[in-house]
Amino acid sequence: MGAERQPTSDCRQSLQQSPIAYLDAMGIKKAHLAGESLGGWTSAWLAINHPNRVASVQLIAAGGTKADPVIMERIKTSTTRAVQVDDEDLTRQRLNLLMHNPEKDVSEELVEVRHAIYHQPDFVANIHNLLSLQNMEIRQRNLLRPDDLGSIRAPALIVWGNQNPFGGVAEATAMHENIPGSELIVYNECGHWPQHEHAEEYNTAAIEFLRKHPIK
């Protein structure tokens, strides 16, 4: 979202513009999508609204199916503090929130990289855009409803952690039940970043999934 763009009632259109523009610019007619958290939310909308561009979709701890005010406030508060205050410890706390086992999965390198991203001038200036979906009114207008998920025809893999702090396993199960022919993997002792916390297992599963669904 650009520096001059305010949160809109239809964020999903804004979020879909950049991936489609990238595919067009690169001359890519169809692609496999793997989206985590907000990326999963966006990937689902792309599969719904641009089915001819999506070969398969992986929804990794994807947001967008619930509007829990407690979780929304947790995301908004922790992210805003980490971005507005130039303190690496706040970045570390934000990353710790994501992981089931921060001692294992939050390295100093990860903290440094995320801290640098958080404090890029454009990121700081646009934090209100990033967090617009934590506004209840805006979020409700952009939720993925069961009928939306039911319209996905691309092969879909849902990946979740059983200790995801931003959404319980029931959310993943509901997505799986609503998306025809989808697959579901739930990792134990795993938070919001299964692709990182269970990297070896996830990579194996993702490659197997992609091999089953080559681009035609």
Side-chain angles (χ1 to χ4, degrees), residues 45-189:
W45 279 119
L46 287 166
I48 292 163
N49 293 323
H50 302 275
N52 61 319
R53 308 301 296 272
V54 179
S56 73
V57 61
Q58 296 180 45
L59 306 177
I60 307 166
T65 63
K66 296 288 185 182
D68 184 324
V70 174
I71 292 175
M72 291 163 62
E73 183 60 31
R74 184 187 304 158
I75 293 170
K76 184 176 180 179
T77 301
S78 63
T79 306
T80 300
R81 290 181 65 229
V83 171
Q84 292 185 341
V85 181
D86 190 1
D87 182 345
E88 278 198 359
D89 192 54
L90 292 176
T91 302
R92 185 177 293 103
Q93 290 176 29
R94 180 66 176 81
L95 288 166
N96 287 349
L97 177 62
L98 302 177
M99 313 296 182
H100 171 67
N101 185 350
E103 289 187 11
K104 176 174 74 72
D105 292 310
V106 178
S107 67
E108 287 306 304
E109 179 183 16
L110 180 58
V111 172
E112 290 171 7
V113 170
R114 177 54 68 98
H115 185 76
I117 292 170
Y118 275 171
H119 295 282
Q120 291 176 354
D122 284 348
F123 196 99
V124 175
N126 286 284
I127 188 61
H128 61 289
N129 285 328
L130 176 66
L131 294 173
S132 63
L133 286 165
Q134 309 313 321
N135 173 291
M136 182 60 77
E137 183 180 355
I138 294 174
R139 190 180 189 91
Q140 286 288 350
R141 287 197 288 258
N142 289 276
L143 283 177
L144 291 159
R145 309 289 180 179
D147 287 350
D148 298 317
L149 295 170
S151 70
I152 294 176
R153 292 295 177 263
L157 173 64
I158 299 153
V159 182
W160 215 261
N162 73 337
Q163 301 296 321
N164 182 356
F166 300 145
V169 173
E171 288 187 34
T173 302
M175 293 174 71
H176 173 47
E177 291 174 349
N178 285 312
I179 300 175
S182 63
E183 300 178 37
L184 171 63
I185 298 174
V186 178
Y187 294 115
N188 292 324
E189 299 184 346

